[in-house]
Amino acid sequence: MSKVLHATRALLPDGWHTDVRVTLAGGRIAAIAGDAPPLPDDERHAILLPGLGNLHSHAFQRGMAGLAERRGDSNDSFWTWREVMYRFLERMGPDDLAAIAALAYAEMLETGFTRVGEFHYLHHDPAGQAYADPAAMCAAIAQAAAETGIALTLLPVFYAHGGFGGQAPNAGQRRFITGLDSFARLRGDAAHALTALPDAVLGLAPHSLRAATPDQISALDAMAGAAPIHIHIAEQTREVDDCLAWSNLRPVEWLLRHAPVDRRWCLVHATHMTSDETRALAASGATAGLCPITEANLGDGLFPARDYTGAWGVGSDSNVLIDASEELRLYEYGQRLVHRGRNLLAPAPGTSTGAALYGGALRGGAAALGAPAGLAVGNSADLVSLDADHPCLIGRRDDALIDGWLFAGGRAVIDCVWRHGAKVVSQGRHHARDAIVRRYRAVLTGLLE
Ligand SMILES: [Zn+2]
């Protein structure tokens, strides 16, 4: 059965077009016609764009959003935040994870993210033992994706050590730890958990250079084959110092020198780089995975976006606030604040910053998540419509609509979102929001009491 969406203006891979009919069939885009007036059965919209990929999420952390904003005794940092996070997940089981992830994924869809890269390391039960089904937590993530409709690139995380050079993990990390053999089995079971999801992708992720040794990273690269490989890197200056002490090299420098980093790879954060590292990362073909809201929240530092010429995308990481427009806006604003200039990420005079941000994140998200994006025949039908009557879009056209969305209106300008051909958001609300929030409230109340 097919359905046709008609848009007054739509953003196709070669730019904006008028009177666009998009035919959806079997979850995919079956046909696109421009300069095609609407037919009586078409569902009509003003402005259509492709959905964005969210390349880095830890869904369970949505449940602790805002709980680490109280000043502690010592200097608060990423590392004190991490202790709050470890305590929060002490009792979380598969059903709790499914409920929290469902809320996070519904919110992602409401803000225009149609695929999520779930960087998933919470594998075992609270005592650190494997569940009866070792992939029970992967299955909980898949269940949340199925319930909300979001496309899933699952990145099971390999986590073996507590610090550089193969240090033993600490007690707070016991739920994450695997060896290479048990990880390979877990990933096989995770593949099984994804079979019912349309267009799911299975990648993998060495957690960081702290958590995996060089030999383990080589083995994981081979295990991945052509699938996406993600890694946290150079997020914190202490991590840079520890890496230097261990290897005499900085984290990004070490990885580019010792691992076959290419288009399959996504380097998440890559905050602290020299200009040589910044150039080498761009040349590698890998995607830089930026998480501007989380990086600001954790006090990580600023990625050298103005000087970086390679592929990049955005992720919501800790999910402390989920909003695609805010991630992109903050990515630009960080550069404005540090360089004291404006429109620093637009490629040329006269071009739109919003369009550059949106286009960059669309391409980088697709590359990092292993799934094509964009309104093109054959792609999954993942679309976003904007509310042309929103005050921030009045009198705007084409790229200026994206500027109005990202810089002025934010998520409130989103009207509908389709995922794999099904409309899952109308008037900015996910269709299952009420049920998802009800279950989330019950689960969170239990976890926090
Ligand atoms: Zn992360």
Side-chain angles (χ1 to χ4, degrees):
M1 206 183 74
S2 70
K3 160 178 200 65
V4 176
L5 306 181
H6 182 276
T8 310
R9 297 289 285 171
L11 182 60
L12 304 183
D14 65 346
W16 288 95
H17 289 256
T18 298
D19 275 336
V20 178
R21 296 184 78 237
V22 183
T23 305
L24 316 182
R28 305 208 160 263
I29 297 176
I32 297 179
D35 297 319
L39 298 180
D41 288 341
D42 292 358
E43 182 178 321
R44 299 190 52 183
H45 295 272
I47 305 153
L48 275 183
L49 304 99
L52 284 176
N54 173 359
L55 53 66
H56 190 70
S57 160
H58 309 286
F60 77 87
Q61 292 176 13
R62 183 60 180 152
M64 59 169 283
L67 288 178
E69 308 301 329
R70 184 177 289 265
R71 187 165 177 166
D73 297 335
S74 58
N75 286 337
D76 276 4
S77 68
F78 170 86
W79 309 101
T80 52
W81 171 88
R82 196 176 71 162
E83 289 307 313
V84 174
M85 187 265 282
Y86 286 179
R87 284 201 300 281
F88 174 70
L89 56 75
E90 262 163 19
R91 288 190 293 160
M92 190 181 296
D95 291 344
D96 306 322
L97 177 60
I100 295 171
L103 180 70
Y105 295 167
E107 292 180 316
M108 288 176 197
L109 286 159
E110 288 174 344
T111 81
F113 284 130
T114 48
R115 174 175 289 272
V116 61
E118 182 65 29
F119 195 103
H120 171 62
Y121 54 80
L122 189 55
H123 299 311
H124 310 313
D125 74 12
Q129 302 298 312
Y131 284 102
D133 167 9
M137 295 299 251
C138 293
I141 295 289
Q143 183 192 327
E147 185 178 354
T148 57
I150 201 164
L152 178 63
T153 294
L154 183 64
L155 302 155
V157 171
F158 177 84
Y159 202 127
H161 303 287
F164 287 94
Q167 293 171 35
N170 67 34
Q173 294 158 342
R174 64 188 179 276
R175 302 191 66 180
F176 320 153
I177 302 301
T178 67
L180 280 171
D181 290 346
S182 57
F183 179 75
R185 284 195 299 278
L186 177 75
R187 192 163 173 264
D189 293 342
H192 200 69
L194 297 182
T195 47
L197 288 177
D199 63 19
V201 172
L202 181 65
L204 59 75
H207 177 273
S208 57
L209 297 181
R210 300 190 302 275
T213 64
D215 286 351
Q216 288 166 338
I217 290 173
S218 317
L220 294 165
D221 181 85
M223 195 187 293
I229 308 175
H230 289 218
I231 186 168
H232 288 135
I233 198 149
E235 179 178 9
Q236 291 286 322
T237 50
R238 188 173 109 188
E239 178 189 342
V240 176
D241 295 342
D242 290 352
C243 190
L244 279 165
W246 165 64
S247 69
N248 255 330
L249 297 172
R250 301 165 58 82
V252 172
E253 186 182 20
W254 188 94
L255 191 73
L256 293 176
R257 200 173 290 186
H258 290 97
V261 174
D262 59 16
R263 313 185 80 78
R264 298 167 302 149
W265 283 73
C266 177
L267 276 63
V268 180
H269 306 303
T271 309
H272 299 287
M273 294 193 290
T274 62
S275 50
D276 282 350
E277 287 177 296
T278 307
R279 267 192 300 278
L281 175 56
S284 72
T287 302
L290 293 324
C291 309
I293 294 173
T294 296
E295 288 154 7
N297 182 269
L298 295 178
D300 288 344
L302 274 178
F303 175 80
R306 186 192 63 171
D307 304 324
Y308 176 70
T309 57
W312 64 275
V314 289
S316 60
D317 195 359
S318 70
N319 295 310
V320 63
L321 184 154
I322 295 174
D323 188 332
S325 66
E326 292 217 18
E327 296 289 0
L328 294 173
R329 182 165 68 248
L330 190 53
Y331 186 51
E332 163 76 19
Y333 279 179
Q335 299 303 300
R336 293 189 189 191
L337 288 164
V338 77
H339 296 297
R340 288 172 283 173
R342 302 190 70 251
N343 296 310
L344 294 169
L345 300 180
T351 58
S352 151
T353 300
L357 293 170
Y358 192 80
L362 183 73
R363 289 187 296 275
L369 297 175
L375 302 190
V377 172
N379 283 359
S380 191
D382 301 345
L383 306 94
V384 175
S385 74
L386 303 184
D387 171 11
D389 293 328
H390 189 283
C392 291
L393 300 190
I394 291 168
R396 272 75 163 173
R397 188 180 158 89
D398 300 351
D399 286 352
L401 293 165
I402 304 179
D403 290 328
W405 170 16
L406 301 188
F407 290 102
R411 62 180 293 179
V413 311
I414 292 183
D415 183 9
C416 302
V417 178
W418 294 258
R419 227 312 282 174
H420 202 59
K423 193 193 283 184
V424 293
V425 172
S426 300
Q427 295 183 309
R429 277 178 69 85
H430 192 278
H431 293 177
R433 171 171 264 280
D434 291 344
I436 288 170
V437 170
R438 211 175 303 124
R439 188 157 52 111
Y440 175 84
R441 180 177 294 119
V443 160
L444 210 72
T445 305
L447 285 174
L448 294 179
E449 71 189 7

